Structures are given as C-alpha cells and as structure tokens.
Amino acid sequence: DSPYQSFSALAGNPYLVSPERLADDGLLGPGDLDAAMLGEGAVDFGAVIDAKLHMLDRAYAAFRAAPGPLGSEYERFRAEHTGWLEDFALFMALKADQGGRAWTEWDAGLAQAEPQALAASRARLADAIDSQRFRQFLFFRQWHAVRDHARARGIAIVGDVPIFVSHDSADVWSHRGLFQLDDAGHPTSVAGVPPDYFSATGQLWGNPLYRWDMHDWSGYAWWIERLRATLEMVDVVRLDHFRGFEAHWEVPAGMPTAEKGRWVAGPGPKFLDAVRGAVGEVAIVAEDLGVITPEVEALRDAYDLPGMKVLEFAFGGTPKTMGAHPFLPHNYSKHCVVYTGTHDNDSARAWFDAAPPAERAFAMRYLECDAPGVPWAMIRAALSSVAHTAIVPLQDVLELGIEGRMNLPGRPSGNWAWRFRWDELDDWRLDRLANWSEVYGRVPVADEAEPGVEPAGSPAVEPGGSPA
C-alpha cells in the first residue's frame, strides 16, 4: 500500500479514480456508486481494491459497449503515452494472469520477457491489457482535471519522486539491464539506510539498486522520461533521498536488517546535468535529510537546489548547542523548504508528547507556548520563517496525536491508511491559516474590506489557545 512500492514509477494509481466522475461520464450507474461507498476512518486497502477493481471493470465494459466522445480521447492518450503504457499494461495483465505473483515467479519465458512468449500473451490477454490501458486513461483524465482546477486558482502541486522503485514493477521487469539483478532477476543488493533517528537497525527498504553505469551510457534516458512524466502531473518535484545521488547505502540481498552495508558512489553531477540538459530548469526540492555529508551539501548547492528543514528535529541537543541547530528557524536561509513534519514523522502533537523532557522544555521556550499550543506554535514558526516555502501536514492543522501518523519508516505494513473528514476542518482552523499566510506574506493579501465587514482570514483564535 506504500507509494514507494508501486507497480510503476510512471503509471497512476487506479484505486484513486473517482466513482462520481465515472458516473458523470455515463460509465457507472447509481447502484455502482452505492457499492463504491466504503465508509470513513482508516483506509481498508483490501476492501478498497476489491471495490475499485469491480467498479473499473464495469466502467470498461460500459466504455467498450458505447465509447462515445471518450473513444477519441482514449486513442489520443494511448498514442501520447505508448512509451511506458504498453509495457505497464502488459505487465499488469500478466501479473493478474499469474495469480498476482512477483514477476520472478512467472513462467520462465514471461519472466525473461522472451519475445515469442510475450507475443503469445499479448494475443491471449488482449482484452485484459486494454482494460489496464483504460484504467490509466481514467486516472490521468481525472488527475489533469484536478490540476487544471488548482492552476486556475493559483495553486501549485508538489509531487514526490522516490529515488528507488519496487522490484516487482513494470520498470524493473522491462528494464532489467538498469538494475543490479542476477540472471534470474533477483536483486543482488538492495537499498536502505544505516541506523538512524528512526531505527536502531537502519531501514531496509529492499528496492533493487541501479546500475548507474548503464544509466550513464543511455544518457539517463529512463530517468528523463520519468521526470518528464512527473512534471505532467505536478509543478514542483521533491527529489526523494537526494543524498543517494551522491552516495547510497548498499546492503547485500538477503540481509535481515540494514546494519551491514556500505556507501557506494552515485551518479552525482552527471545525473543532474543530464536532467537539466533534457528537461530544462526544473523546480526541484532536494530531500536532504538523514546522514548528510559535506559532499551531499556541495552537490545540492552546486545546482542551487533548496533543501529541507523539519521542525520536529530542531529542539534536541545540549544546552550549549540548542540555539545553533540548523533546523531552528532563526538559522534558516531563504533558500529552503520548512516542514513541521513529513509523512515519515509523527504528528507535531504526538512528537511533543513522546519527546524527552529537556526537548519538550526547549520547544515550549523557543515557541513561547504551553504544551497544548505546540502544534499551532510550530505551524506559526514555519510560516513566519524566512524559508522560501512552508509545508504543513493536515494532521498538525487538526492537532491530531499518534492516530494521525501516516508512515513509520521500517514498518512493512499498517502505513498510509490515515484520511480526514471534511467536517474536521473547522472554520476557525481555516481562518487562522488564512490570516497567518497573509500576515507572513505566503499568499497575496486580499483587498481592503469595506467598513463594518470582517476581513477574510481574520484570526478566530488567539495564538496558542483554543477556538474562541
């Protein structure tokens, strides 16, 4: 269920397709919508997948029976995305036909992508392959409507590009020469990070590592296609695990943890030069968290990429070093992006509740608030900082505790299931965000209100307090 372990680095997730929009297109009826309603609370991915696949199959059947105006749109989509779409659709159809098994467990001819075996499968599974194409068409059609809606309101979308991809993916199956695999297709070494803030045994991600020599030989063509595809969906790219482009942690395949490994040089400037030469000046944020060396910082700065600051990391240390922590707002330069926390962190409330006493005391002293006021005080510290961009997880706006955690690094399951309800976004929370965003220059200031009219975005609460 993790977005870092998907079946493709280029395809969209069909489980996100909106049933209501399919009904608007005449592809679903009222009864189909009733079946797609799965309740609220944490996501039950098993139930979601079953319901969405049934819904998508019904939509495909309706489309095939009467393509209508969507028919020409679909054919245009196929033509524009054929570079990755055909491999992906075949991979997914084969995976379903093979009972969901990883591609290394398929029949040998299919696992090795032998032309004769693939040709036979394309003929036998033609309808299933086309159904996979159609799901991608629906996803991108709906996503581009969302992006157009955002752009019309001056809203930019930040997207994430994980440095590594899943082994059981169309990417690895169809581009085996770009990854460190043995003759049977199994990884010879895998990705992770050594022991760190999150885990005493390191994080064993398990993704296959790249053969950077082959990427260099191809002019980084696969990466360039990947970034171009991402930029069709988003406006700003957060380049995940940026330090891996300078050096990555290589763990021999089969190790139970990430403790035993070694740092291996990455592509460095060659990669970034190739990207800029092919794609141009891309708005990139370098995710430079973790074990960061002067070499990583030099690579980031050589390409003028903003790094990340996370407030939850800012309040540790000794009394002598506390004020010098690089993640404290008074030490920022403008060329950075500040987060109260990321998807890998606990919520601000849960972080504070679990922090050591000295860390809690310094946080309240620095933020000038009491314990209940910490989440909003951290939001204000981020928004009022000189950082070029401030990003606030919705869990912190809602002041949630541990129940709002999105992901626990190193935990293989039980992640990515949190979701919110619209009625949780009280007006006072929205008003406070609007006010602070205007006060600290992060949105254009609204025109002066007429006398006697309350201006939009005026604060509904006092800083650090409760709703009035």
Side-chain angles (χ1 to χ4, degrees), residues 275-291:
V275 168
R276 284 196 170 174
V279 185
E281 292 291 331
V282 180
I284 290 176
V285 176
E287 189 272 284
D288 55 350
L289 306 176
V291 182

Side-chain angles (χ1 to χ4, degrees), residues 110-352:
L110 298 176
Q112 296 300 321
E114 295 175 359
Q116 188 173 355
L118 297 186
S121 294
R122 287 191 182 97
R124 182 172 59 88
L125 300 173
D127 193 61
I129 293 169
D130 195 49
S131 174
Q132 293 290 341
R133 295 190 197 103
F134 185 68
R135 292 175 186 180
Q136 291 303 306
F137 165 69
L138 294 177
F139 173 88
F140 282 100
R141 186 169 185 268
Q142 291 190 4
W143 179 260
H144 285 304
V146 171
R147 190 181 184 189
D148 290 346
H149 182 82
R151 278 184 163 177
R153 287 152 182 79
I155 297 170
I157 298 175
V158 182
D160 192 89
V161 173
I163 183 173
F164 299 117
V165 298
S166 171
H167 173 254
D168 189 21
S169 67
D171 310 292
V172 179
W173 175 71
S174 59
H175 296 91
R176 265 160 289 190
L178 299 178
F179 299 88
Q180 296 182 28
L181 308 175
D182 62 20
D183 291 342
H186 298 287
T188 55
S189 55
V190 297
V193 290
D196 63 4
Y197 171 90
F198 292 108
S199 174
T201 59
Q203 298 177 42
L204 185 64
W205 298 334
N207 308 75
L209 293 170
Y210 295 110
R211 289 189 58 187
W212 285 119
D213 59 330
M214 296 304 295
H215 285 271
D216 184 49
W217 175 82
S218 71
Y220 298 92
W222 180 85
W223 267 99
I224 289 167
E225 181 187 20
R226 185 183 182 191
L227 288 170
R228 280 178 172 154
T230 302
L231 290 167
E232 289 184 10
M233 301 178 65
V234 304
D235 305 287
V236 180
V237 171
R238 173 188 177 270
L239 201 54
D240 168 65
H241 197 56
F242 179 78
R243 71 105 54 246
F245 293 102
E246 196 281 324
H248 57 269
W249 186 247
E250 181 180 286
V251 181
M255 286 288 121
T257 72
E259 294 172 277
K260 295 183 178 180
R262 60 173 186 152
W263 290 107
V264 179
K270 290 183 178 180
F271 166 75
L272 293 168
D273 286 343
V275 168
R276 284 196 170 174
V279 185
E281 292 291 331
V282 180
I284 290 176
V285 176
E287 189 272 284
D288 55 350
L289 306 176
V291 182
I292 302 304
T293 64
E295 291 79 9
V296 177
E297 294 175 345
L299 181 64
R300 178 198 66 202
D301 295 344
Y303 292 85
D304 200 29
L305 304 179
M308 289 174 54
K309 308 292 184 183
V310 178
L311 278 173
E312 288 187 15
F313 296 157
F315 303 104
T318 66
K320 290 184 178 180
T321 63
M322 281 178 175
H325 199 292
F327 284 0
L328 287 171
H330 70 270
N331 292 322
Y332 295 171
S333 66
K334 290 184 178 181
H335 199 51
C336 69
V337 178
V338 58
Y339 298 68
T340 53
T342 74
H343 61 270
D344 282 335
N345 297 109
D346 219 331
S347 67
R349 162 71 61 216
W351 159 78
F352 181 80

